[in-house]
Amino acid sequence: MSETATTPAAETSTAPKSGGGSGNEIRYLTPISIETKKDKYDRFKKYGIKYIDYKDADYLLRLVNEQGKILPRRLTGTSQKYQKRVAQAVKRSRHLALMPYVADMLK
């Protein structure tokens, strides 16, 4: 019964490494997308819009997604003051049937 003593260093150097990379290199299937952050701006302050017209359905369609949901502030960059006005205008427009409540592929 002869036992051969192996050291952990000897095992790791002769054993094939799984993963196929060299050393500690991390490989990704798709390249990492580095997000370039756009500056958010309030379009209402920029263009000096004080009143959001609920009868202008074409303009309000820019502020809703394909399903007809109102886009959040974090996506549009709208301030809280104008986001509330946008929501009120969209709801009024929906009530008067100028805009749909729910739609499939609205845009």
Side-chain angles (χ1 to χ4, degrees):
M1 301 223 169
S2 66
E3 295 181 22
T4 59
T6 58
T7 61
E11 288 178 7
T12 57
S13 63
T14 58
K17 294 181 182 179
S18 62
S22 62
N24 292 332
E25 182 182 346
I26 299 173
R27 295 188 172 214
Y28 298 99
L29 294 175
T30 58
I32 299 172
S33 63
I34 299 172
E35 297 179 14
T36 56
K37 189 173 183 180
K38 289 184 180 178
D39 291 334
K40 291 184 181 179
Y41 67 94
D42 190 355
R43 69 178 79 195
F44 301 104
K45 286 183 183 175
K46 182 178 179 182
Y47 297 119
I49 298 172
K50 295 190 185 283
Y51 178 73
I52 301 170
D53 191 14
Y54 66 91
K55 295 173 287 222
D56 189 6
D58 294 330
Y59 185 75
L60 292 176
L61 283 176
R62 296 185 204 168
L63 301 169
V64 297
N65 65 4
E66 295 86 21
Q67 297 172 340
K69 296 179 182 178
I70 301 171
L71 291 174
R73 288 178 53 206
R74 68 177 184 271
L75 295 179
T76 59
T78 307
S79 66
Q80 183 178 5
K81 174 182 172 181
Y82 287 105
Q83 182 70 18
K84 287 180 182 178
R85 292 181 183 182
V86 165
Q88 188 66 35
V90 169
K91 289 174 185 177
R92 285 179 180 170
S93 180
R94 287 174 177 166
H95 182 72
L96 294 175
L98 299 174
M99 287 179 62
Y101 278 97
V102 180
D104 290 331
M105 301 307 287
L106 183 62
K107 294 182 180 181

